[in-house]
């Protein structure tokens, strides 16, 4: 089945620890995205990547880092510098085209709780 | 940061009712408007991508309209069914790398 996988579904970490969230896709999409959801807020873009070895900051990149070494994978590291890391994190992917309004396909999400 | 607003925040309807909700966005930044449906314990799924003023899209009992001049889109559900219960998200694309700015969503619950 083609799709996006995120693991784990639930993640608990102690304050001050870095944690890496996994996102893998087998849709052969060039673009990948990380969003964060908090109660009462819309999905907010953390980072996105349109091609391997390149990525851009989204609206709330502070305290996060990403890498894009392979087309299929876009891991997100939540560093200790992120002030409010507890949230639900969604990964998405899309094709890249001239039209630039392609639908995004989402993974199931990871709920991170920092204790 | 763009402001994409959705109303109402939540909605409870009876099975068979028709309903609609609104997405408002700054018209000066428009490139495309997306609607997604997000069912509980599942991933958000795309419903429509709309780009032209006056555009109307339909998928089964769900349809959407777009007014880019005044900056709004309506999503309509005709004859709501319990399986329509979900959060409906709209998202604005302003071009530039397919970045999306999402609204906070309208949570719809359809009761028997």
């Amino acid at each position: 089945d083609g799709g996006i996988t995120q693991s784990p579904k639930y993640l608990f970490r102690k304050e001050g620890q870095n944690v890496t969230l996994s996102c893998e896709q087998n849709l052969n999409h060039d673009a990948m995205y990380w969003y964060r959801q908090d109660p009462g807020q819309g999905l907010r873009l953390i980072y996105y990547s349109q091609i391997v070895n390149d990525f851009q900051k989204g609206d709330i990149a502070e305290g996060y880092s990403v890498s894009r070494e392979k087309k299929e994978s876009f891991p997100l590291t939540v560093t200790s510098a992120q002030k409010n890391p507890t949230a639900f994190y969604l990964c998405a992917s899309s094709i890249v085209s001239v039209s630039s309004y392609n639908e995004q396909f989402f993974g199931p999400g990871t709920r991170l709780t920092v204790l | 940061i763009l402001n994409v607003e959705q109303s109402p925040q939540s909605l409870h309807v009876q099975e068979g009712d028709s309903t609609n909700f609104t997405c408002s966005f700054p018209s000066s930044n428009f490139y495309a408007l997306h609607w997604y449906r997000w069912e509980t314990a599942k991933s958000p799924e795309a419903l429509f991508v709309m780009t032209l003023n006056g555009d109307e899209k339909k998928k089964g009992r769900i349809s959407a309209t777009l007014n880019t001049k005044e900056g709004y889109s309506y999503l309509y559900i005709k004859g709501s069914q319990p399986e329509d219960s979900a959060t409906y998200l709209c998202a604005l694309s302003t071009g530039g790398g397919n970045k999306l700015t999402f609204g906070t969503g309208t949570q719809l619950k359809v009761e028997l």
Side-chain angles (χ1 to χ4, degrees):
Chain A
D1 266 51
I4 301 178
T5 56
Q6 291 184 245
S7 60
K9 190 172 181 179
Y10 298 96
L11 193 53
F12 295 88
R13 278 295 181 270
K14 291 184 179 179
E15 194 172 345
Q17 289 182 333
N18 290 358
V19 59
T20 298
L21 280 59
S22 161
C23 178
E24 304 277 331
Q25 54 100 359
N26 61 5
L27 299 169
N28 201 33
H29 287 169
D30 285 304
M32 296 186 75
Y33 314 82
W34 273 106
Y35 294 92
R36 167 183 173 140
Q37 191 201 30
D38 295 281
Q41 298 201 46
L43 298 178
R44 293 184 290 166
L45 183 65
I46 303 172
Y47 268 98
Y48 65 106
S49 166
Q50 291 190 277
I51 197 167
V52 173
N53 292 323
D54 189 42
F55 47 83
Q56 285 79 40
K57 293 181 179 180
D59 299 320
I60 55 165
E62 186 174 348
Y64 298 98
S65 65
V66 293
S67 63
R68 188 85 188 278
E69 295 176 5
K70 298 186 297 181
K71 188 175 184 177
E72 308 78 40
S73 178
F74 192 40
L76 173 76
T77 297
V78 184
T79 75
S80 55
Q82 168 50 233
K83 294 178 183 175
N84 296 297
T86 294
F88 186 69
Y89 292 87
L90 271 173
C91 178
S93 70
S94 74
I95 64 171
V96 173
S97 68
V98 173
S99 67
S100 213
Y101 53 78
N102 308 294
E103 68 175 274
Q104 295 184 10
F105 294 78
F106 286 85
T110 293
R111 185 165 297 280
L112 172 65
T113 302
V114 176
L115 306 168
Chain B
I1 295 181
L2 299 172
N3 192 25
V4 177
E5 297 184 349
Q6 292 188 247
S7 63
Q9 189 174 344
S10 64
L11 200 51
H12 285 234
V13 301
Q14 297 294 122
E15 184 180 11
D17 288 349
S18 292
T19 187
N20 65 85
F21 12 98
T22 306
C23 174
S24 303
F25 52 85
S27 57
S28 58
N29 300 97
F30 181 84
Y31 190 78
L33 194 284
H34 298 234
W35 281 100
Y36 287 84
R37 175 169 59 199
W38 192 359
E39 296 178 67
T40 302
K42 294 187 177 180
S43 307
E45 288 184 340
L47 285 172
F48 307 113
V49 180
M50 308 171 78
T51 59
L52 299 174
N53 185 45
D55 227 357
E56 184 167 341
K57 301 263 183 173
K58 189 173 181 182
K59 185 183 282 190
R61 293 178 291 98
I62 303 177
S63 60
T65 61
L66 178 67
N67 184 321
T68 60
K69 295 186 188 305
E70 295 182 35
Y72 64 84
S73 175
Y74 293 138
L75 189 80
Y76 301 91
I77 302 179
K78 185 178 177 182
S80 303
Q81 299 297 310
E83 58 264 30
D84 296 327
S85 297
T87 295
Y88 291 83
L89 303 170
C90 71
L92 179 69
S93 170
T94 55
N98 206 32
K99 288 174 57 179
L100 295 179
T101 299
F102 281 84
T104 53
T106 292
Q107 188 174 25
L108 173 67
K109 186 165 175 60
V110 183
E111 295 164 344
L112 294 169

